[in-house]
Amino acid sequence: MPITVTAPEGILTPTGEREILPRLSGALIEASGATGNPFFTAIVGGTVHVLPLHRIYAGGVNRPVLMVELKLPNIGLGSVEARKDFIIAAAAIVADLCVPEHQPENTWINIVNAPDGGWGIGSRQYSGEALIAAATAAAH
């Protein structure tokens, strides 16, 4: 489940650049109710992109927006409450790992769902049902 963080230079602290992905991964795993599940944990990852401010825009102008994009199969975070839990946790993580001047309105969190069968690991296509089966088997 890829997490992409895009941040302007100087917004994340040096510790934040190192810790944001592991902490967001933990928040996703917890919000999904999959803590301790080796299959689910192994398929959560992502990237951190730190860009010059002149390459980040909001409202048509350069603005220090830090974006967290989470891509999930359509079964991921399957309720409004689970999505809310992740968003609240992600916003707190960002706030903790950014410089004090970073404003909360400059943190954008976006959850994108792939349609059923639109998820793959290696050359294996997974339906939502197949992902649930794999995670359930790993839990036992």
Side-chain angles (χ1 to χ4, degrees):
M1 321 259 158
I3 302 168
T4 303
V5 176
T6 305
E9 288 177 336
I11 296 299
L12 285 168
T13 65
T15 299
E17 286 188 32
R18 287 189 309 277
E19 290 187 12
I20 195 160
L21 239 304
R23 289 182 58 185
L24 289 171
S25 296
L28 171 59
I29 292 164
E30 184 176 329
S32 298
T35 301
N37 185 296
F39 174 80
F40 192 87
T41 299
I43 63 172
V44 175
T47 56
V48 177
H49 304 268
V50 178
L51 302 174
L53 178 58
H54 72 271
R55 293 195 175 169
I56 297 181
Y57 290 83
V61 297
N62 291 120
R63 191 165 126 202
V65 175
L66 184 145
M67 294 171 247
V68 175
E69 183 175 79
L70 172 59
K71 295 179 183 125
L72 298 172
N74 63 343
I75 59 157
L77 297 178
S79 70
V80 171
E81 195 60 37
R83 291 187 290 274
K84 178 182 175 185
D85 289 347
F86 176 77
I87 289 170
I88 289 169
I93 290 165
V94 169
D96 189 44
L97 297 175
C98 284
V99 296
E101 303 80 42
H102 183 69
Q103 299 297 308
E105 64 271 14
N106 286 329
T107 298
W108 296 2
I109 302 160
N110 187 7
I111 300 171
V112 179
N113 289 107
D116 196 38
W119 198 259
I121 300 171
S123 62
R124 179 167 181 192
Q125 176 196 35
Y126 281 91
S127 64
E129 187 176 288
L131 279 167
I132 290 170
T136 301
H140 297 295

